[in-house]
C-alpha cells in the first residue's frame, strides 16, 4: 500500500482509484454532524430555525466536498494526507458539538458560533494547503487555488466571523450571505483547474454520503421513540418510515447514480470538472438536505405515535414540521430531477411533478393524522419511483 511505501508524502490517486477505508473513517464524523443538524431543528421547530439549520448543513457539506475532491487526486490513506484527514475529523467533531447552540448560544463556556466559524475556517485552510502541496507540477490548479482562496474562502469567512458576534436574523442573514458568496465563488472558479482522476471513486464517495443521510432518517426515528413504550402503532410507523427511506435509496442507487457516473466517465478535462461540480457538488446537496428535512418529520411522527400520554393517534403534525415531512421529499425529488436532466438531457417529468406535489402537500399534512400522512407518503414515493423506473432512466 502507499501508506507502507512512503509515509512522508502525498501519493497521487490513479484513474481506477476506489474509496479507501480512511475515507470511510473520515465520514464517521459527518454521521454525527448530520444528526446534530436534525437536532438543531427539532429543539425548536420554526421557519427561521429550519433555514438556519440548512445554512449550517450547507457549510458542513462544503467541508465534506472539499475532501471528496482532494481524495480523488491524492490517496487519503497516504501518510501526509491521512494525518490531515484525522486532524480535520477532530475539527469537524468540534464543529458538530457547537451546532445545537450555533443560533442560540448557551450561557457559560466558549461561544458556540465563534467556535463553529473558526473550526470551519480551519477545515477550508487545511484543504487549500493540502491541495497546494499536492500540485507542485500543476500551475493551472495552483492558479485555481489562489482564485478560490480570494473569492470563495476569505470573503465568506469574514461574513461568518461578523455574524458570529450577532444573534437572530442578523446572524442568519450574514451567514446566508457567506454561503451565497462561497457557492457563487466556487461556481466561478470551479470550471477549470480541479481534477477528477477517477469517476468511479467520485461517484462512490457521493453515494456514501447519501447513505449517511438516509441512515440519519432511520436514527431519527429511533431517537423519536427513545424511552417510550413499544406499540403496534410504533411498529407500523417504523415500517412506513423504513419503506420511505428504501424508496429514496432505490431512486438514487438504481436510477440516478448510475446515469451520473456513466456521464462523468465519458467526459474529459474541464468538461468533466464542470459536470462533477454541477451534478455532485451542487445537486447532491438538495438530496442530503431533503433527507434531513424529512427526518425531522419522521422523528416527530414516531414521538407522537409513541407518546400516547400526550398525543392521540389522530393527532396531526403541526407547523413547519408538517411541511418538512413532505417538503423534504419534494426537495429530494427535485434534486434528483435536476441530476437526471444534467446527466442525460432528458426531461424527468415524473420526478419534477412528484417533487412539486410533495412540496405543495405540506399544507395537507397538518390536517390528517401523522401516522396516516407517513404511510401515504411512503406508499406514494414507492409508486413514483417505480413509475420513474419504467420511464427508462435506469443507467443511461
Amino acid at each position: 500500500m502507499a501508506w507502507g511505501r512512503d509515509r512522508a508524502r502525498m501519493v497521487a490517486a490513479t484513474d481506477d482509484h476506489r474509496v479507501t477505508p480512511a475515507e470511510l473513517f473520515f465520514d464517521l464524523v459527518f454521521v454525527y454532524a448530520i444528526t446534530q443538524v436534525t437536532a438543531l431543528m427539532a429543539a425548536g421547530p420554526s421557519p427561521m430555525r429550519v433555514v438556519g439549520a440548512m445554512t449550517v448543513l450547507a457549510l458542513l457539506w462544503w467541508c465534506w466536498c472539499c475532501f471528496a475532491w482532494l481524495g480523488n487526486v491524492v490517496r487519503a490513506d497516504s501518510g501526509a494526507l491521512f494525518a490531515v484527514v484525522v486532524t480535520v475529523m477532530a475539527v469537524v467533531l468540534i464543529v458538530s458539538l457547537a451546532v445545537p447552540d450555533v443560533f442560540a448560544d448557551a450561557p457559560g463556556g466558549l461561544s458556540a458560533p465563534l467556535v463553529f466559524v473558526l473550526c470551519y475556517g480551519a477545515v477550508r485552510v487545511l484543504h487549500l494547503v493540502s491541495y497546494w502541496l499536492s500540485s507542485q507540477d500543476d500551475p493551472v490548479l495552483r492558479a485555481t487555488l489562489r482564485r478560490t482562496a480570494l473569492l470563495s474562502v476569505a470573503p465568506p469567512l469574514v461574513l461568518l466571523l461578523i455574524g458570529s458576534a450577532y444573534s437572530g436574523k442578523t446572524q442568519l442573514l450574514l451567514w446566508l450571505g457567506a454561503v451565497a458568496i462561497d457557492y457563487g465563488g466556487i461556481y466561478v472558479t470551479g470550471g477549470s483547474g480541479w481534477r477528477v482522476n477517477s469517476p468511479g471513486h467520485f461517484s462512490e464517495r457521493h453515494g456514501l454520503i447519501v447513505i449517511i443521510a438516509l441512515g440519519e432518517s432511520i436514527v431519527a426515528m429511533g431517537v423519536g421513540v427513545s424511552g417510550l413504550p413499544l406499540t403496534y402503532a410504533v411498529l407500523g410507523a417504523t415500517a412506513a418510515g423504513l419503506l420511505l427511506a428504501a424508496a429514496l435509496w432505490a431512486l438514487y442507487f438504481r436510477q440516478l447514480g448510475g446515469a451520473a457516473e456513466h456521464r462523468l466517465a465519458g467526459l474529459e478535462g474541464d468538461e468533466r470538472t464542470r459536470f462533477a461540480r454541477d451534478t455532485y457538488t451542487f445537486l447532491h446537496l438538495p438530496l442530503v438536505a431533503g433527507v434531513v428535512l424529512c427526518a425531522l418529520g419522521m422523528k416527530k411522527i414516531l414521538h407522537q405515535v409513541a407518546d400516547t400520554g400526550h398525543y392521540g393517534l389522530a393527532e396531526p403534525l403541526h407547523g413547519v414540521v408538517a411541511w418538512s415531512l413532505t417538503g423534504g421529499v419534494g426537495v429530494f425529488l427535485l434534486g434528483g430531477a435536476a441530476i437526471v436532466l444534467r446527466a442525460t438531457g432528458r426531461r424527468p417529468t415524473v420526478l419534477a411533478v412528484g417533487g412539486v406535489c410533495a412540496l405543495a402537500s405540506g399544507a395537507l399534512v397538518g390536517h390528517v393524522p401523522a401516522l396516516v400522512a407517513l404511510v401515504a407518503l411512503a406508499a406514494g414515493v414507492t409508486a413514483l419511483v417505480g413509475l420513474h423506473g419504467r420511464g427508462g432512466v435506469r443507467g443511461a
Side-chain angles (χ1 to χ4, degrees):
M1 289 180 63
W3 168 255
R5 290 199 309 269
D6 193 345
R7 301 186 181 192
R9 64 182 179 87
M10 295 186 182
V11 178
T14 58
D15 58 1
D16 60 349
H17 180 50
R18 306 302 295 186
V19 173
T20 64
E23 290 169 295
L24 298 176
F25 183 49
F26 177 74
D27 285 351
L28 291 178
V29 293
F30 287 92
V31 175
Y32 180 56
I34 293 176
T35 301
Q36 290 288 77
V37 173
T38 303
L40 174 63
M41 292 187 291
S46 69
M48 185 173 171
R49 181 59 67 95
V50 169
V51 173
M54 291 299 100
T55 303
V56 169
L57 181 63
L59 294 170
L60 291 171
W61 174 253
W62 227 228
C63 294
W64 183 87
C65 283
C66 286
F67 286 87
W69 280 84
L70 181 58
N72 191 262
V73 296
V74 181
R75 291 188 62 96
D77 56 358
S78 64
L81 187 55
F82 183 69
V84 174
V85 163
V86 174
T87 302
V88 171
M89 287 179 68
V91 175
V92 173
L93 183 58
I94 296 171
V95 167
S96 303
L97 293 173
V99 166
D101 298 320
V102 79
F103 290 112
D105 194 20
L110 301 174
S111 168
L114 182 59
V115 169
F116 181 95
V117 173
L118 291 177
C119 289
Y120 171 77
V123 172
R124 297 300 299 272
V125 170
L126 284 169
H127 168 252
L128 290 177
V129 170
S130 299
Y131 244 123
W132 184 270
L133 294 176
S134 70
S135 61
Q136 297 179 11
D137 301 323
D138 194 340
V140 177
L141 175 55
R142 286 201 161 187
T144 300
L145 291 172
R146 286 192 291 268
R147 292 196 303 270
T148 300
L150 291 174
L151 296 177
S152 185
V153 176
L157 279 178
V158 171
L159 282 180
L160 290 172
L161 281 170
I162 295 173
S164 66
Y166 292 89
S167 60
K169 292 182 179 180
T170 302
Q171 179 191 2
L172 181 56
L173 288 174
L174 286 168
W175 282 26
L176 281 171
V179 170
I181 293 173
D182 201 348
Y183 278 63
I186 288 296
Y187 187 82
V188 172
T189 63
S192 63
W194 306 107
R195 309 287 184 235
V196 179
N197 286 352
S198 172
H201 170 274
F202 203 72
S203 176
E204 187 178 1
R205 286 296 288 129
H206 287 79
L208 288 171
I209 199 67
V210 172
I211 287 181
I212 286 174
L214 291 171
E216 156 55 12
S217 68
I218 295 173
V219 170
M221 290 192 295
V223 172
V225 300
S226 178
L228 296 170
L230 193 63
T231 64
Y232 286 113
V234 169
L235 297 181
T238 302
L242 183 59
L243 177 62
L244 176 57
L248 296 178
W249 178 93
L251 175 62
Y252 181 82
F253 287 97
R254 293 185 175 178
Q255 299 176 20
L256 304 180
E261 182 179 355
H262 179 78
R263 178 62 174 161
L264 182 66
L267 298 173
E268 298 290 343
D270 288 348
E271 287 189 11
R272 175 182 284 185
T273 298
R274 285 190 289 271
F275 180 82
R277 176 200 64 192
D278 297 346
T279 302
Y280 289 95
T281 299
F282 287 151
L283 294 181
H284 273 59
L285 176 56
L287 304 185
V288 175
V291 174
V292 172
L293 286 169
C294 186
L296 172 63
M298 293 165 68
K299 178 179 181 178
K300 290 295 185 179
I301 288 176
L302 266 293
H303 180 78
Q304 287 187 189
V305 169
D307 190 1
T308 55
H310 295 88
Y311 302 97
L313 285 180
E315 183 80 16
L317 290 177
H318 299 285
V320 71
V321 177
W323 173 84
S324 72
L325 178 68
T326 57
V329 171
V331 171
F332 188 100
L333 294 177
L334 291 177
I339 289 173
V340 171
L341 183 62
R342 184 67 172 88
T344 69
R346 299 176 181 174
R347 295 180 180 178
T349 305
V350 173
L351 291 183
V353 172
V356 171
C357 290
L359 286 172
S361 63
L364 301 176
V365 174
H367 299 284
V368 299
L371 179 56
V372 172
L374 180 58
V375 171
L377 180 62
V381 174
T382 301
L384 183 144
V385 171
L387 183 61
H388 177 68
R390 287 198 293 272
V393 189
R394 185 169 295 275

